Amino acid sequence: MTITPLILIGHSNRVPSATITGGSWTGSRDLVKTRPTGTRLIATSNTLSSTKLTLTWTRPQPMQMLVVAGHNGSRNGMMRWSAFEGSTLRHAGAWRDLKSPVASTADLSWYEYGLFTGKPGDEFYARYPSQVFEYLPATIGADRIEVEFDDQTNADLLSIGFIGVLQVWQPSVAPDWPIAISPRTVSELEVTEGDVELGVEGAPVRETRLSFTNLPEADGVRMNRIQREAGETGELWLDIDPLGQGAMTTYDRAMLCRQVQPEGVTFSEFWRAAGARLFRETF
């Protein structure tokens, strides 16, 4: 499948069925061999040196992307992954920034932090869940994946909130425009006994509603299958701009999310399909 400017949905996470070994991780928050779909696991490395995770399956699994989200990697941290089918190398990824650049030097003023790297101050990254991901141009089959981290300058021990090895689906028809990406605040006001209002800050989460009105039958069936598989608790990956039209898309337009009260897909004459989905960020 060729990645096109249409929206992209990552689904069918293969990690819950994998055996995870390697690396150097703390005991009570250790990486586990299997876990239920739809739950997140925080794993903390007990070393600042390079560490590698190996995910294995009893038979090759279809996959087209890998995502690591909700990590506390530093500005200098790096990650890469490789996929194997038996002894055959199916994918050799390049080193990727754990915190991706979000601007070019043409977009920053002389006085801004990160002028030459495109990485602004830490306060910017604090507003978003840190995530790094890579799409492959086509689905591959692999029964072993190696994920390597190198974050030796991190002031804290490296923590990972979510690892996904996903399939990719792109509908053949774009959703209805315009598309809204709305930060939903979870902050609230508390009133003390002296009638003083105090703001309790919570990190805002994004919501995106996608509507489709003229899908081919096969796309409508695929939407229903993803809904049946993920329900309202299973985690999906949503990318509004898979081609990355501008550096900010790494953070602004791609997110780990869940479906909120998904509507059924309706089929009309000539088996055209219509449906809508509300996606809410999980971190």
Side-chain angles (χ1 to χ4, degrees), residues 221-274:
V221 171
R222 187 71 175 269
M223 282 185 67
N224 264 341
R225 287 178 178 173
I226 292 175
Q227 175 181 336
R228 182 180 178 87
E229 176 188 86
E232 295 185 40
T233 59
E235 286 152 329
L236 302 171
W237 179 258
L238 176 65
D239 195 338
I240 304 289
D241 188 10
L243 284 182
Q245 305 294 320
M248 273 296 295
T249 58
T250 301
Y251 290 89
D252 263 1
R253 302 181 193 173
M255 61 183 179
L256 188 68
C257 59
R258 292 189 176 100
Q259 302 175 104
V260 180
Q261 298 178 345
E263 304 173 14
V265 175
T266 58
F267 294 91
S268 59
E269 61 274 14
F270 309 112
W271 286 105
R272 306 302 287 183

Side-chain angles (χ1 to χ4, degrees), residues 37-206:
T37 300
T39 61
R40 285 183 284 119
L41 175 70
I42 302 296
T44 302
S45 172
N46 58 22
T47 177
L48 292 179
S49 61
S50 302
T51 189
K52 181 189 292 185
L53 306 177
T54 300
L55 291 77
T56 57
W57 295 266
T58 56
R59 59 182 177 82
Q61 304 291 314
M63 59 191 70
Q64 197 178 349
M65 70 167 292
L66 181 137
V67 58
V68 176
H71 64 77
N72 70 336
S74 71
R75 302 167 62 86
N76 299 318
M78 305 288 286
M79 184 215 78
R80 67 177 175 183
W81 67 291
S82 304
F84 302 84
E85 184 176 1
S87 59
T88 303
L89 178 64
R90 300 301 309 274
H91 171 70
W95 284 104
R96 291 178 172 269
D97 287 307
L98 285 175
K99 283 192 165 65
S100 302
V102 298
S104 67
T105 55
D107 299 325
L108 298 175
S109 72
W110 179 256
Y111 296 100
E112 288 191 76
Y113 187 84
L115 171 65
F116 298 107
T117 64
K119 297 182 180 182
D122 290 337
E123 64 275 6
F124 168 86
Y125 293 105
R127 302 187 192 109
Y128 295 86
S130 295
Q131 55 197 30
V132 56
F133 54 92
E134 181 179 3
Y135 306 130
L136 305 183
T139 298
I140 64 171
D143 54 18
R144 187 174 90 257
I145 283 180
E146 295 178 353
V147 188
E148 186 175 358
F149 299 91
D150 188 354
D151 196 17
Q152 300 182 46
T153 62
N154 197 335
D156 300 309
L157 297 178
L158 178 64
S159 293
I160 301 170
F162 177 88
I163 298 180
V165 178
L166 308 169
Q167 292 179 262
V168 164
W169 174 61
Q170 289 185 279
S172 56
V173 176
D176 300 340
W177 297 91
I179 294 175
I181 307 173
S182 308
R184 177 177 178 267
T185 181
V186 293
S187 302
E188 58 184 16
L189 289 174
E190 288 188 356
V191 181
T192 68
E193 293 182 359
D195 293 329
V196 177
E197 291 185 342
L198 299 176
V200 180
E201 294 295 328
V205 296
R206 287 165 288 180

Side-chain angles (χ1 to χ4, degrees), residues 174-177 179 209-215 223 274-277:
D176 300 340
W177 297 91
I179 294 175
R209 188 178 189 275
L210 300 178
S211 297
F212 298 89
T213 55
N214 196 31
L215 284 172
M223 282 185 67
R277 292 289 184 274

